Amino acid sequence: MRNSLILILTIFFQIFLIISSEEIKLTYDDTGYPFTSVCFGSNNLCLSLKLDTDYIESLVHSSSSKSSVKNKYDSSASKKSETMKENVEIKYNSKTLKGDLIKDVIQINSMEIKKGFFYSIKESENDILDKIEGILGLGYPNTASQEKNSLMMQLYVNGHLDSKIWTIDFNEKNGKILLEKKIENNAEGFELDLTNNEEGHWILPVKSVFLGKNRKKDENIEFDKDTKIKISTNEIKSSIDLNLLKKIGEKIFKNLVDKSECKFEEKDKKYSTYFCKNNNYDDIKGISLIFGDYGIYIPKENVLIKNDKEYEFILGNYGGDKNNVIGMDILKNKQVVFDCEKMKLGLYGQNIFNVQKEEKEEESIIPKDDDEKEKEKEKEKEKEKEKEKEKEKEKEKEKEKEKEKEKEKEKEKEKEKEKEQQEQQKKQEQQQQQQQQQEQKKEENTEKEKSGGGFKKFMIFVVIIVALFILWNLYKKYAKRRGKMKFPFISYNDANVNNVNGIQLISDQ
């Protein structure tokens, strides 16, 4: 049970190592060349090797070499080291090297090549090689011996590559080698068949070149059918052969040539320039290289050297009469697919465009150079400022409208107040009228009362008299019934009574 668990864990660990080894990280030196770490020998000596797509084999410094680098390969320190060939003459960048062909353990990340082949350099005439720890050759292997010595083919033979295809992402911040064809971020790009080449370089046929961002017939320069361009990680700056250099230079510096301010200079066999003096850097354009239906736009900063002091502009060729190179300045932030099975090479990423789409559209879809980008940014900033100004104006207008609305509201309020005041005045007037009417009625009533008061008194007096008369008659009748009658304040007797007007009076004796 314990052994089975260990076996399962081992299998899972190996699977994890295989999965984790799919990406080989890249680093860059100060000049922009890409490097990666590769370990050699049973003692696991890890060295930082420079990537070189112009070379096939891997090179490291022998412990016996005079190189100034600290980390060197010592065959005696590795138990599995075998020297296959001694004192072999090797050419690198047209320089002759001497070293031994070694078979030993090679390891990248967790991927191990138990019997890997590489060269241990003892003598070198290459000053650049003497300053670095080694070379990782990624060139196209044409022969069986080249495949045997190619590190990527050795990874394929040892089962770390599913096919003879790998991708290098030259991202400045997160560069890596992917052990498969993998294009990230849906980048625009193309793949073309490689041209026949015995040197092991990755070379593509280039069709034409035109200036700037818009292709025009008078600016388009058609190349010969056999014109080729090399994809090289061993060159920082891209270059163009002398004949094309003259044609393109005349096109780029057309206005300056007319003023006799430009001339072609061939300084030596390895370095030629189209030299101009001018203080207007904005007049100069970049170029677009056309590969079949696709193109790569190269900003002027990648093909021109600007000298601020003398205002010199140089379009250079850095490697001989026929050396068309796409260097690291153009490969930067691009993804490159190296396909040894179909003999193809693919380029994806920044400044790559479809020519057919570009021809159909009125405006170019080619990315613009930095100066133009800055100009556009400035224009955009100005537009934004104008928009902000317009927004401010609109805000002011809105404020004015709001003020007008407030004024209208105030006017309406004033009108309402006036209406209220008018209504109050009307009410007051009505109240006053009512009071006046009431007072008039009161006065009329008082006058009526005054005029009708005597009559009332008279009537009251009459009523009292009538009432007294009625009472008197009643009393008289009562007195008759009793036989004698007394009247207040009158003394009389029953014998002497006179009848006066029906009233019996008492006579004097």
Side-chain angles (χ1 to χ4, degrees):
M1 183 70 178
R2 184 179 178 182
N3 293 332
S4 60
L5 283 172
I6 292 170
L7 180 62
I8 291 168
L9 289 172
T10 304
I11 291 169
F12 274 109
F13 181 71
Q14 288 178 350
I15 292 170
F16 172 77
L17 290 177
I18 291 169
I19 294 170
S20 64
S21 65
E22 290 180 356
E23 293 185 0
I24 302 171
K25 292 184 179 180
L26 301 182
T27 59
Y28 298 90
D29 65 1
D30 295 336
T31 56
Y33 287 113
F35 287 77
T36 192
S37 178
V38 181
C39 301
F40 297 89
S42 59
N43 58 332
N44 201 31
L45 173 68
C46 295
L47 303 174
S48 181
L49 304 188
K50 175 185 172 185
L51 273 61
D52 192 345
T53 55
D54 291 337
Y55 200 69
I56 296 171
E57 291 84 5
S58 297
L59 307 177
V60 298
H61 291 286
S62 171
S63 58
S64 62
S65 71
K66 296 179 180 180
S67 172
S68 59
V69 299
K70 292 182 180 180
N71 297 322
K72 300 178 182 179
Y73 175 77
D74 186 358
S75 58
S76 62
S78 176
K79 296 178 180 179
K80 297 182 179 180
S81 176
E82 294 182 35
T83 302
M84 307 304 294
K85 292 182 181 179
E86 292 184 357
N87 299 324
V88 181
E89 286 192 355
I90 309 161
K91 284 189 177 182
Y92 181 74
N93 279 358
S94 303
K95 299 287 186 179
T96 302
L97 313 175
K98 286 186 179 180
D100 299 335
L101 177 61
I102 303 295
K103 181 169 73 173
D104 202 345
V105 177
I106 301 175
Q107 187 165 348
I108 304 177
N109 290 354
S110 61
M111 297 176 290
E112 185 180 79
I113 303 171
K114 293 182 179 180
K115 297 180 180 180
F117 292 91
F118 58 94
Y119 283 97
S120 176
I121 304 303
K122 297 178 179 178
E123 298 178 11
S124 172
E125 297 176 357
N126 193 308
D127 296 334
I128 297 174
L129 182 61
D130 289 341
K131 296 177 183 179
I132 60 177
E133 293 181 346
I135 297 293
L136 174 57
L138 296 173
Y140 181 77
N142 287 320
T143 63
S145 61
Q146 288 177 345
E147 282 195 5
K148 185 178 180 181
N149 295 335
S150 168
L151 183 60
M152 300 306 289
M153 292 300 101
Q154 292 180 63
L155 286 173
Y156 170 72
V157 171
N158 283 264
H160 300 297
L161 273 172
D162 292 333
S163 58
K164 298 178 182 179
I165 303 172
W166 65 91
T167 305
I168 302 181
D169 186 350
F170 290 103
N171 188 293
E172 288 182 289
K173 296 181 180 179
N174 188 26
K176 52 185 173 289
I177 301 174
L178 304 169
L179 304 181
E180 58 181 332
K181 179 183 175 180
K182 187 176 181 180
I183 308 303
E184 297 181 344
N185 302 322
N186 295 321
E188 184 80 20
F190 63 92
E191 291 186 17
L192 291 177
D193 294 331
L194 298 171
T195 60
N196 295 329
N197 181 39
E198 296 179 358
E199 298 176 357
H201 302 298
W202 296 91
I203 295 178
L204 295 175
V206 60
K207 185 178 179 181
S208 63
V209 64
F210 61 87
L211 304 182
K213 304 170 296 299
N214 296 304
R215 184 164 74 167
K216 298 178 182 178
K217 292 182 179 180
D218 58 341
E219 291 184 344
N220 193 52
I221 303 171
E222 295 290 338
F223 293 160
D224 296 334
K225 292 182 180 180
D226 59 347
T227 303
K228 304 170 186 177
I229 195 160
K230 179 174 65 174
I231 310 299
S232 175
T233 57
N234 198 35
E235 300 284 348
I236 290 294
K237 195 166 183 66
S238 302
S239 61
I240 300 171
D241 69 59
L242 299 183
N243 292 328
L244 296 177
L245 179 61
K246 290 179 182 179
K247 292 179 181 180
I248 296 171
E250 288 173 359
K251 289 284 186 181
I252 289 179
F253 300 104
K254 185 177 180 181
N255 296 331
L256 301 178
V257 171
D258 295 339
K259 297 178 183 178
S260 300
E261 294 182 3
C262 294
K263 61 181 179 178
F264 184 81
E265 290 186 357
E266 189 172 349
K267 293 186 176 181
D268 53 45
K269 291 182 179 179
K270 293 183 180 179
Y271 181 63
S272 301
T273 65
Y274 201 84
F275 176 87
C276 286
K277 286 186 178 181
N278 185 33
N279 60 359
N280 191 359
Y281 188 65
D282 296 334
D283 290 343
I284 301 170
K285 299 178 180 179
I287 63 175
S288 297
L289 293 174
I290 306 303
F291 300 84
D293 294 333
Y294 283 83
I296 300 177
Y297 176 69
I298 306 172
K300 58 188 173 186
E301 292 81 7
N302 293 30
V303 291
L304 303 172
I305 299 173
K306 180 182 178 183
N307 187 333
D308 291 330
K309 294 180 180 179
E310 298 180 0
Y311 302 106
E312 298 176 356
F313 302 93
I314 303 169
L315 177 64
N317 176 285
Y318 299 90
D321 292 344
K322 291 185 178 180
N323 185 25
N324 301 323
V325 175
I326 290 179
M328 283 303 301
D329 55 351
I330 297 176
L331 293 177
K332 183 171 59 178
N333 291 322
K334 288 185 176 61
Q335 301 173 63
V336 185
V337 178
F338 299 87
D339 189 344
C340 294
E341 291 188 347
K342 298 180 180 179
M343 292 183 65
K344 287 180 176 290
L345 186 133
L347 288 169
Y348 297 85
Q350 287 184 351
N351 295 333
I352 296 176
F353 60 96
N354 187 303
V355 178
Q356 292 178 351
K357 288 182 181 179
E358 185 271 333
E359 287 176 349
K360 290 178 181 178
E361 296 177 358
E362 292 181 1
E363 294 183 0
S364 172
I365 61 171
I366 303 171
K368 301 175 182 180
D369 57 29
D370 293 338
D371 287 343
E372 291 177 349
K373 284 180 180 178
E374 289 178 0
K375 286 182 181 179
E376 286 191 350
K377 285 180 181 179
E378 290 177 358
K379 288 180 180 179
E380 287 177 357
K381 287 180 181 179
E382 290 178 357
K383 287 180 180 179
E384 287 178 357
K385 287 180 180 178
E386 289 178 356
K387 287 181 180 179
E388 288 178 357
K389 288 180 180 179
E390 289 178 356
K391 286 181 180 179
E392 289 178 356
K393 288 180 180 179
E394 289 178 355
K395 286 181 180 179
E396 290 177 356
K397 288 180 180 179
E398 288 178 356
K399 288 180 180 179
E400 289 178 356
K401 287 180 180 179
E402 288 177 357
K403 288 180 180 178
E404 289 177 356
K405 287 180 179 179
E406 289 177 356
K407 288 180 180 179
E408 289 178 355
K409 286 180 180 179
E410 289 178 357
K411 288 180 180 179
E412 289 178 356
K413 287 180 180 179
E414 290 177 356
K415 288 180 179 179
E416 288 177 356
K417 286 182 180 179
E418 288 178 357
K419 286 182 180 179
E420 288 177 357
Q421 289 176 355
Q422 289 175 357
E423 288 177 355
Q424 288 178 356
Q425 288 178 356
K426 286 181 180 179
K427 286 181 180 180
Q428 289 175 359
E429 289 176 357
Q430 289 176 356
Q431 288 175 357
Q432 288 176 357
Q433 288 177 358
Q434 288 177 358
Q435 288 177 357
Q436 289 176 359
Q437 288 175 358
Q438 288 176 359
E439 288 176 355
Q440 288 176 358
K441 285 180 180 180
K442 285 180 180 179
E443 289 176 358
E444 289 175 354
N445 291 328
T446 52
E447 287 178 357
K448 286 180 181 180
E449 287 177 357
K450 286 180 182 179
S451 60
F455 178 76
K456 283 181 180 180
K457 287 178 180 180
F458 175 75
M459 290 301 295
I460 290 167
F461 178 76
V462 171
V463 171
I464 292 169
I465 294 299
V466 171
L468 287 172
F469 180 77
I470 293 167
L471 288 171
W472 174 252
N473 287 325
L474 290 171
Y475 178 76
K476 191 171 70 170
K477 286 178 181 182
Y478 178 75
K480 281 181 179 183
R481 288 177 184 177
R482 296 282 303 266
K484 64 179 181 178
M485 181 179 61
K486 291 181 179 181
F487 192 81
F489 308 110
I490 299 173
S491 61
Y492 61 91
N493 52 30
D494 296 335
N496 298 315
V497 175
N498 294 322
N499 191 358
V500 181
N501 292 329
I503 300 174
Q504 292 179 354
L505 298 174
I506 297 171
S507 63
D508 294 333
Q509 293 177 357

